[in-house]
Amino acid sequence: MTLEESIRSCEELFAAAADRPDMVAAAQAVLDLEAEIVKWAADTEEDAGGVEQARELMRLLIARLGERAQAADRRSEGLPALVEPLLALRAELRGKGCYDVADALRDAMGRGGVAVEDTPDGPRWSPAS
């Protein structure tokens, strides 16, 4: 595989992972690209321009990871304003004995990316991983 093919492959893997979104796989694509850069840079007969092109792509992909992380932080900032009233509604439903509806609400929150755990001190929530 040529360096150009490796660059293209890592970029495609990154794009596919970021679209899922699977940031662990996206980061792995960046690490794979970095490994290719190290391998090709050690080959003194390889075109240095290709290695520099790969480094530029790696910088770009790292910046994209940062943008995704920043966007995720912004999305999660408003999460308490949404989750807290839903938990209050769920507590009200449980207080009225509507456990099936309360459980359905908890399950819906889970599908929406919020994990709800019932504890002796009351419900605890966190963004689902």
Side-chain angles (χ1 to χ4, degrees):
M1 182 180 276
T2 67
L3 178 57
E4 185 176 322
E5 291 168 335
S6 295
I7 291 170
R8 193 171 330 130
S9 174
C10 290
E11 187 173 21
E12 289 169 0
L13 288 171
F14 179 92
D19 286 345
R20 282 195 293 273
D22 181 349
M23 293 302 107
V24 172
Q28 185 60 55
V30 174
L31 293 172
D32 292 346
L33 177 60
E34 190 270 340
E36 287 296 315
I37 292 169
V38 169
K39 182 174 84 174
W40 286 90
D43 185 355
T44 57
E45 295 179 20
E46 176 57 35
D47 175 24
V51 170
E52 189 53 38
Q53 177 187 0
R55 284 189 177 116
E56 287 176 24
L57 175 62
M58 185 173 70
R59 288 185 203 94
L60 175 68
L61 297 182
I62 291 170
R64 286 183 186 164
L65 277 175
E67 290 167 0
R68 293 282 181 137
Q70 187 177 39
D73 282 347
R74 279 194 300 269
R75 282 191 304 272
S76 68
E77 286 174 359
L79 208 49
L82 176 65
V83 172
E84 296 300 331
L86 291 173
L87 287 178
L89 173 60
R90 184 170 176 266
E92 186 177 324
L93 290 167
R94 289 172 57 95
K96 293 179 180 178
C98 300
Y99 299 108
D100 56 338
V101 179
D103 289 346
L105 180 56
R106 182 197 59 222
D107 294 344
M109 292 172 69
R111 287 190 303 277
V114 176
V116 177
E117 177 186 1
D118 291 315
T119 72
D121 298 325
R124 182 173 44 204
W125 69 273
S126 62
S129 49

